[in-house]
Amino acid sequence: MRTYDSRTAASVFGSGGWFKATASEANGTGCVEVNFSSDGLVGLRDSKHPQGGAFAFTPTEWRTFLTTVSR
């Protein structure tokens, strides 16, 4: 997993393509957004701070992350 500052994240993932995770809370207190880049990276960011940084996962790291948090 890598962490990108907002400028680098914007160049890797662009400004569009972010969507709220289906497990995010409807009241907006625990929301994350996900983005799939054209080169296979998966971005994860806080929807309340979209101009902040983003975590970037390889596909294998993303599968591991999802498996771990869904336990």
Side-chain angles (χ1 to χ4, degrees):
M1 178 185 68
R2 289 163 270 188
T3 304
Y4 291 121
D5 61 47
S6 59
R7 185 175 305 155
T8 305
S11 69
V12 173
F13 297 105
S15 59
W18 291 96
F19 62 94
K20 190 178 287 190
T22 56
S24 290
E25 297 174 14
N27 63 9
T29 61
C31 301
V32 296
E33 293 178 322
V34 179
N35 192 322
F36 297 94
S37 74
S38 60
D39 65 354
L41 289 177
V42 181
L44 184 71
R45 71 180 185 183
D46 184 342
S47 64
K48 295 179 297 303
H49 303 287
Q51 299 307 316
F55 295 107
F57 299 87
T58 65
T60 300
E61 291 170 333
W62 182 244
R63 284 189 296 275
T64 301
F65 173 76
L66 291 178
T67 300
T68 303
V69 299
S70 66
R71 290 183 184 172

Coordinates of all heavy atoms in Angstrom, one line a residue:
M1 N 0.8 -1.2 0.0 CA 0.0 0.0 0.0 C 0.9 1.2 0.0 O 1.9 1.3 0.7 CB -0.9 0.0 1.2 CG -1.8 1.2 1.3 SD -2.7 1.3 2.8 CE -1.5 1.6 4.1
R2 N 0.5 2.2 -0.8 CA 1.2 3.5 -0.8 C 0.2 4.6 -0.4 O -1.0 4.4 -0.5 CB 1.6 3.8 -2.3 CG 2.8 2.9 -2.7 CD 2.9 2.9 -4.1 NE 2.1 1.8 -4.6 CZ 2.0 1.4 -5.8 NH1 2.7 1.9 -6.7 NH2 1.2 0.3 -6.1
T3 N 0.7 5.7 0.1 CA -0.1 6.8 0.4 C 0.4 8.0 -0.5 O 1.5 8.2 -0.7 CB 0.2 7.2 1.9 OG1 -0.1 6.1 2.7 CG2 -0.8 8.4 2.2
Y4 N -0.6 8.6 -1.1 CA -0.3 9.7 -2.0 C -0.9 11.0 -1.4 O -2.0 11.0 -0.9 CB -1.0 9.5 -3.4 CG -0.4 8.4 -4.2 CD1 -1.2 7.3 -4.6 CD2 0.9 8.4 -4.6 CE1 -0.6 6.3 -5.4 CE2 1.5 7.4 -5.3 CZ 0.7 6.3 -5.7 OH 1.2 5.3 -6.5
D5 N -0.2 12.1 -1.6 CA -0.7 13.4 -1.2 C -1.8 13.7 -2.2 O -1.9 13.0 -3.3 CB 0.4 14.4 -1.1 CG 1.1 14.7 -2.5 OD1 0.4 14.8 -3.5 OD2 2.3 14.7 -2.5
S6 N -2.5 14.8 -2.0 CA -3.7 15.1 -2.8 C -3.3 15.4 -4.3 O -4.0 15.0 -5.2 CB -4.5 16.3 -2.3 OG -3.6 17.4 -2.2
R7 N -2.2 16.0 -4.5 CA -1.7 16.3 -5.9 C -1.4 15.0 -6.6 O -1.8 14.8 -7.8 CB -0.6 17.3 -5.9 CG -0.2 17.7 -7.3 CD 0.9 18.8 -7.3 NE 0.5 19.9 -6.5 CZ 1.3 20.7 -5.8 NH1 2.6 20.5 -5.9 NH2 0.9 21.7 -5.1
T8 N -0.6 14.2 -6.0 CA -0.2 12.9 -6.7 C -1.5 12.0 -6.9 O -1.6 11.4 -7.9 CB 0.8 12.2 -5.8 OG1 1.9 13.1 -5.6 CG2 1.3 11.0 -6.5
A9 N -2.3 12.0 -5.9 CA -3.5 11.1 -6.0 C -4.4 11.6 -7.1 O -4.9 10.8 -7.9 CB -4.3 11.2 -4.7
A10 N -4.5 12.9 -7.3 CA -5.3 13.5 -8.4 C -4.7 13.1 -9.8 O -5.4 12.8 -10.7 CB -5.4 15.0 -8.3
S11 N -3.3 13.0 -9.9 CA -2.7 12.6 -11.1 C -2.8 11.1 -11.4 O -2.9 10.7 -12.5 CB -1.3 13.1 -11.2 OG -0.5 12.3 -10.3
V12 N -2.9 10.3 -10.3 CA -3.0 8.9 -10.5 C -4.4 8.5 -10.8 O -4.7 7.7 -11.7 CB -2.5 8.1 -9.2 CG1 -2.7 6.6 -9.3 CG2 -1.0 8.4 -9.1
F13 N -5.4 9.0 -10.0 CA -6.8 8.6 -10.1 C -7.7 9.6 -10.8 O -8.8 9.3 -11.2 CB -7.3 8.4 -8.7 CG -6.6 7.2 -8.0 CD1 -5.7 7.5 -7.0 CD2 -6.8 5.9 -8.3 CE1 -5.1 6.5 -6.3 CE2 -6.2 4.9 -7.7 CZ -5.3 5.2 -6.7
G14 N -7.2 10.8 -11.0 CA -8.1 11.8 -11.6 C -9.1 12.3 -10.6 O -9.2 11.9 -9.5
S15 N -9.9 13.3 -11.1 CA -10.9 13.9 -10.2 C -12.2 13.2 -10.2 O -13.0 13.2 -9.3 CB -11.1 15.4 -10.5 OG -11.5 15.5 -11.8
G16 N -12.5 12.5 -11.3 CA -13.7 11.7 -11.4 C -13.5 10.2 -11.1 O -12.4 9.8 -10.9
G17 N -14.5 9.5 -11.1 CA -14.4 8.1 -10.9 C -14.5 7.6 -9.5 O -14.5 6.4 -9.2
W18 N -14.5 8.5 -8.6 CA -14.6 8.2 -7.1 C -16.1 7.8 -6.8 O -17.0 8.5 -7.3 CB -14.2 9.3 -6.2 CG -12.7 9.5 -6.3 CD1 -12.1 10.5 -7.1 CD2 -11.7 8.9 -5.6 NE1 -10.7 10.4 -6.9 CE2 -10.4 9.4 -6.0 CE3 -11.6 7.8 -4.7 CZ2 -9.2 9.0 -5.5 CZ3 -10.4 7.4 -4.2 CH2 -9.2 8.0 -4.6
F19 N -16.3 6.8 -6.1 CA -17.7 6.4 -5.7 C -17.7 6.0 -4.2 O -16.7 5.5 -3.7 CB -18.3 5.4 -6.6 CG -17.6 4.0 -6.6 CD1 -18.0 3.0 -5.7 CD2 -16.5 3.8 -7.4 CE1 -17.3 1.8 -5.7 CE2 -15.8 2.6 -7.4 CZ -16.2 1.6 -6.5
K20 N -18.8 6.3 -3.6 CA -18.9 6.0 -2.2 C -19.0 4.4 -2.0 O -19.8 3.8 -2.7 CB -20.1 6.6 -1.5 CG -20.2 6.5 0.0 CD -21.3 7.2 0.6 CE -21.1 8.7 0.5 NZ -22.1 9.5 1.2
A21 N -18.3 3.9 -1.1 CA -18.3 2.5 -0.8 C -19.7 2.1 -0.3 O -20.4 2.8 0.4 CB -17.3 2.1 0.3
T22 N -20.2 0.9 -0.7 CA -21.5 0.5 -0.4 C -21.7 0.3 1.1 O -22.8 0.3 1.7 CB -21.9 -0.8 -1.1 OG1 -20.9 -1.8 -0.8 CG2 -22.0 -0.6 -2.6
A23 N -20.6 0.0 1.8 CA -20.7 -0.2 3.3 C -20.6 1.1 4.1 O -20.7 1.1 5.3 CB -19.5 -1.1 3.7
S24 N -20.5 2.2 3.4 CA -20.4 3.5 4.1 C -21.8 3.8 4.7 O -22.8 3.4 4.2 CB -20.1 4.6 3.1 OG -18.7 4.5 2.7
E25 N -21.7 4.5 5.9 CA -23.0 4.8 6.6 C -23.8 5.9 5.9 O -23.2 6.8 5.4 CB -22.6 5.3 8.0 CG -21.9 4.2 8.8 CD -21.4 4.7 10.1 OE1 -21.8 5.8 10.6 OE2 -20.6 4.0 10.7
A26 N -25.1 5.7 5.9 CA -26.0 6.6 5.2 C -25.9 8.0 5.8 O -26.2 9.0 5.1 CB -27.4 6.1 5.2
N27 N -25.6 8.2 7.1 CA -25.6 9.5 7.8 C -24.4 10.3 7.5 O -24.2 11.4 8.0 CB -25.9 9.3 9.3 CG -24.8 8.5 10.0 OD1 -23.7 8.3 9.4 ND2 -25.0 8.2 11.2
G28 N -23.4 9.7 6.8 CA -22.2 10.4 6.4 C -21.1 10.5 7.4 O -20.1 11.2 7.2
T29 N -21.2 9.7 8.5 CA -20.2 9.8 9.5 C -19.0 8.9 9.3 O -17.9 9.1 9.9 CB -20.7 9.5 10.9 OG1 -21.3 8.2 10.9 CG2 -21.8 10.5 11.3
G30 N -19.2 7.9 8.4 CA -18.1 7.0 8.2 C -18.0 6.6 6.7 O -18.2 5.5 6.4
C31 N -17.7 7.6 5.9 CA -17.7 7.3 4.5 C -16.4 7.3 3.8 O -15.5 8.1 4.1 CB -18.5 8.4 3.8 SG -20.2 8.6 4.4
V32 N -16.2 6.3 3.0 CA -14.9 6.3 2.2 C -15.3 6.2 0.7 O -16.4 5.8 0.4 CB -14.0 5.0 2.6 CG1 -13.5 5.2 4.0 CG2 -14.8 3.7 2.4
E33 N -14.4 6.6 -0.1 CA -14.7 6.6 -1.6 C -13.6 5.7 -2.2 O -12.4 5.7 -1.7 CB -14.6 8.0 -2.2 CG -15.8 8.8 -1.8 CD -15.8 10.2 -2.3 OE1 -14.7 10.8 -2.5 OE2 -16.8 10.7 -2.7
V34 N -13.9 5.0 -3.2 CA -13.0 4.1 -3.9 C -12.9 4.5 -5.4 O -13.9 5.0 -6.0 CB -13.5 2.6 -3.8 CG1 -12.7 1.7 -4.5 CG2 -13.7 2.2 -2.4
N35 N -11.7 4.3 -6.0 CA -11.5 4.6 -7.4 C -10.6 3.5 -7.9 O -9.6 3.1 -7.3 CB -10.9 6.0 -7.5 CG -10.8 6.5 -8.9 OD1 -10.6 5.8 -9.9 ND2 -11.0 7.8 -9.1
F36 N -10.9 3.1 -9.1 CA -10.0 2.1 -9.8 C -9.3 2.8 -11.0 O -10.0 3.3 -11.9 CB -10.9 0.9 -10.3 CG -11.6 0.2 -9.2 CD1 -12.9 0.5 -8.8 CD2 -10.9 -0.8 -8.6 CE1 -13.5 -0.2 -7.8 CE2 -11.5 -1.5 -7.5 CZ -12.8 -1.2 -7.1
S37 N -8.0 2.9 -10.9 CA -7.2 3.6 -11.9 C -7.1 2.7 -13.2 O -7.3 1.5 -13.1 CB -5.8 4.0 -11.4 OG -5.0 2.8 -11.3
S38 N -6.7 3.3 -14.2 CA -6.5 2.6 -15.5 C -5.4 1.6 -15.5 O -5.3 0.7 -16.2 CB -6.3 3.6 -16.6 OG -5.2 4.4 -16.4
D39 N -4.4 1.8 -14.5 CA -3.3 0.9 -14.5 C -3.4 -0.1 -13.4 O -2.5 -0.8 -13.0 CB -2.0 1.7 -14.3 CG -1.9 2.4 -13.0 OD1 -2.9 2.5 -12.2 OD2 -0.8 3.0 -12.7
G40 N -4.7 -0.3 -12.8 CA -4.9 -1.4 -11.9 C -4.9 -1.0 -10.4 O -5.3 -1.8 -9.6
L41 N -4.4 0.2 -10.1 CA -4.4 0.6 -8.7 C -5.8 0.8 -8.2 O -6.7 1.3 -8.9 CB -3.5 1.8 -8.4 CG -2.0 1.6 -8.6 CD1 -1.3 3.0 -8.4 CD2 -1.5 0.6 -7.6
V42 N -6.0 0.6 -6.9 CA -7.3 0.9 -6.2 C -7.0 2.0 -5.2 O -6.2 1.8 -4.3 CB -7.9 -0.3 -5.5 CG1 -9.2 0.0 -4.9 CG2 -8.0 -1.5 -6.5
G43 N -7.8 3.1 -5.4 CA -7.6 4.2 -4.4 C -8.7 4.2 -3.4 O -9.8 3.8 -3.6
L44 N -8.3 4.7 -2.2 CA -9.3 4.8 -1.1 C -9.0 6.1 -0.4 O -7.9 6.5 -0.1 CB -9.0 3.6 -0.1 CG -9.9 3.5 1.1 CD1 -11.3 3.0 0.6 CD2 -9.3 2.5 2.1
R45 N -10.1 6.9 -0.2 CA -10.0 8.2 0.4 C -11.2 8.5 1.3 O -12.2 7.9 1.2 CB -9.8 9.3 -0.6 CG -11.0 9.6 -1.4 CD -10.8 10.7 -2.4 NE -12.0 11.1 -3.1 CZ -12.1 12.0 -4.0 NH1 -11.0 12.6 -4.4 NH2 -13.2 12.3 -4.6
D46 N -11.0 9.5 2.2 CA -12.1 9.9 3.1 C -13.0 10.8 2.3 O -12.6 11.9 1.7 CB -11.5 10.7 4.2 CG -12.5 11.1 5.3 OD1 -13.7 11.2 5.0 OD2 -12.1 11.4 6.4
S47 N -14.3 10.5 2.1 CA -15.2 11.3 1.3 C -15.5 12.7 1.9 O -15.9 13.6 1.2 CB -16.6 10.6 1.2 OG -17.2 10.4 2.4
K48 N -15.2 12.8 3.2 CA -15.4 14.1 3.9 C -14.2 15.1 3.6 O -14.3 16.3 3.8 CB -15.6 14.0 5.4 CG -16.9 13.2 5.8 CD -17.1 13.0 7.2 CE -16.0 12.2 7.9 NZ -15.8 10.9 7.5
H49 N -13.1 14.5 3.1 CA -11.9 15.3 2.8 C -11.4 14.9 1.4 O -10.3 14.3 1.3 CB -10.9 15.1 3.9 CG -11.3 15.5 5.2 ND1 -11.5 16.8 5.6 CD2 -11.7 14.7 6.3 CE1 -12.0 16.8 6.9 NE2 -12.1 15.5 7.3
P50 N -12.1 15.1 0.4 CA -11.7 14.6 -1.0 C -10.4 15.2 -1.5 O -9.7 14.7 -2.3 CB -12.9 14.9 -1.9 CG -13.6 16.0 -1.2 CD -13.4 15.8 0.3
Q51 N -10.1 16.4 -0.9 CA -8.8 17.1 -1.4 C -7.6 16.6 -0.6 O -6.5 17.0 -0.8 CB -8.9 18.6 -1.2 CG -10.0 19.2 -2.1 CD -9.9 18.8 -3.6 OE1 -8.8 18.8 -4.1 NE2 -11.0 18.4 -4.2
G52 N -7.9 15.7 0.4 CA -6.8 15.1 1.2 C -6.1 14.0 0.4 O -6.3 13.8 -0.8
G53 N -5.2 13.3 1.0 CA -4.5 12.2 0.4 C -5.4 11.0 0.1 O -6.5 10.9 0.5
A54 N -4.8 10.0 -0.5 CA -5.4 8.7 -0.8 C -4.5 7.6 -0.6 O -3.3 7.7 -0.8 CB -6.0 8.7 -2.2
F55 N -5.0 6.5 -0.1 CA -4.3 5.2 -0.1 C -4.4 4.6 -1.4 O -5.4 4.6 -2.1 CB -4.8 4.3 1.0 CG -4.7 4.8 2.4 CD1 -5.8 5.3 3.1 CD2 -3.4 4.9 3.0 CE1 -5.7 5.7 4.4 CE2 -3.3 5.4 4.3 CZ -4.4 5.8 5.0
A56 N -3.3 3.9 -1.9 CA -3.4 3.2 -3.2 C -2.9 1.8 -2.9 O -1.9 1.5 -2.3 CB -2.5 3.9 -4.2
F57 N -3.8 0.8 -3.4 CA -3.5 -0.6 -3.2 C -3.3 -1.3 -4.6 O -4.0 -0.9 -5.6 CB -4.7 -1.3 -2.6 CG -5.1 -0.8 -1.2 CD1 -5.9 0.3 -1.1 CD2 -4.6 -1.4 -0.1 CE1 -6.3 0.8 0.2 CE2 -5.0 -0.9 1.2 CZ -5.8 0.2 1.3
T58 N -2.5 -2.2 -4.7 CA -2.4 -3.1 -5.8 C -3.7 -4.0 -5.7 O -4.3 -4.1 -4.7 CB -1.2 -4.0 -5.8 OG1 -1.2 -4.9 -4.7 CG2 0.1 -3.2 -5.8
P59 N -4.0 -4.7 -6.8 CA -5.2 -5.6 -6.8 C -5.1 -6.6 -5.7 O -6.0 -6.9 -5.0 CB -5.2 -6.2 -8.1 CG -4.7 -5.1 -9.0 CD -3.5 -4.5 -8.2
T60 N -3.9 -7.2 -5.5 CA -3.7 -8.2 -4.4 C -3.8 -7.6 -3.0 O -4.5 -8.2 -2.2 CB -2.3 -8.9 -4.6 OG1 -2.2 -9.5 -5.9 CG2 -2.0 -9.9 -3.5
E61 N -3.3 -6.4 -2.8 CA -3.4 -5.7 -1.6 C -4.9 -5.4 -1.3 O -5.3 -5.5 -0.2 CB -2.6 -4.4 -1.5 CG -1.1 -4.7 -1.5 CD -0.3 -3.4 -1.8 OE1 -0.8 -2.4 -2.4 OE2 0.9 -3.3 -1.3
W62 N -5.6 -5.0 -2.3 CA -7.0 -4.6 -2.2 C -7.8 -5.8 -1.7 O -8.6 -5.8 -0.8 CB -7.5 -4.0 -3.5 CG -9.0 -3.6 -3.4 CD1 -10.0 -4.1 -4.1 CD2 -9.5 -2.5 -2.6 NE1 -11.2 -3.4 -3.8 CE2 -10.9 -2.5 -2.8 CE3 -8.9 -1.7 -1.7 CZ2 -11.7 -1.5 -2.2 CZ3 -9.8 -0.7 -1.0 CH2 -11.1 -0.7 -1.3
R63 N -7.6 -7.0 -2.4 CA -8.3 -8.2 -2.0 C -8.0 -8.6 -0.5 O -8.9 -8.9 0.2 CB -8.0 -9.4 -2.9 CG -8.6 -9.3 -4.3 CD -8.4 -10.5 -5.1 NE -7.1 -10.8 -5.4 CZ -6.4 -10.3 -6.5 NH1 -7.1 -9.4 -7.3 NH2 -5.2 -10.5 -6.7
T64 N -6.7 -8.5 -0.1 CA -6.3 -8.7 1.2 C -7.0 -7.8 2.2 O -7.5 -8.2 3.3 CB -4.8 -8.7 1.4 OG1 -4.2 -9.6 0.5 CG2 -4.4 -9.0 2.8
F65 N -7.0 -6.5 1.9 CA -7.7 -5.5 2.7 C -9.2 -5.8 2.9 O -9.7 -5.8 4.0 CB -7.5 -4.1 2.0 CG -8.3 -3.0 2.7 CD1 -7.9 -2.5 3.9 CD2 -9.5 -2.5 2.1 CE1 -8.6 -1.4 4.5 CE2 -10.2 -1.5 2.7 CZ -9.8 -1.0 3.9
L66 N -9.9 -6.1 1.8 CA -11.3 -6.4 1.9 C -11.5 -7.7 2.7 O -12.5 -7.7 3.5 CB -11.9 -6.6 0.5 CG -12.0 -5.3 -0.4 CD1 -12.5 -5.6 -1.8 CD2 -12.8 -4.2 0.3
T67 N -10.7 -8.7 2.5 CA -10.9 -9.9 3.3 C -10.7 -9.6 4.8 O -11.4 -10.1 5.6 CB -9.9 -11.0 2.8 OG1 -10.1 -11.2 1.4 CG2 -10.0 -12.2 3.6
T68 N -9.7 -8.8 5.1 CA -9.4 -8.5 6.5 C -10.5 -7.7 7.2 O -10.9 -8.0 8.3 CB -8.0 -7.8 6.6 OG1 -7.0 -8.6 6.0 CG2 -7.6 -7.5 8.0
V69 N -11.0 -6.6 6.5 CA -11.9 -5.8 7.1 C -13.3 -6.4 7.2 O -14.2 -5.9 7.9 CB -12.0 -4.4 6.5 CG1 -10.7 -3.7 6.6 CG2 -12.5 -4.4 5.1
S70 N -13.6 -7.4 6.4 CA -14.9 -8.0 6.4 C -15.1 -9.2 7.4 O -16.1 -9.8 7.5 CB -15.3 -8.6 5.0 OG -14.4 -9.6 4.6
R71 N -14.0 -9.4 8.2 CA -14.1 -10.5 9.2 C -14.9 -10.1 10.4 O -15.0 -9.0 10.8 CB -12.7 -10.9 9.6 CG -12.0 -11.6 8.5 CD -10.6 -12.1 8.9 NE -10.0 -12.7 7.8 CZ -8.7 -13.1 7.8 NH1 -8.0 -12.9 8.9 NH2 -8.2 -13.6 6.7

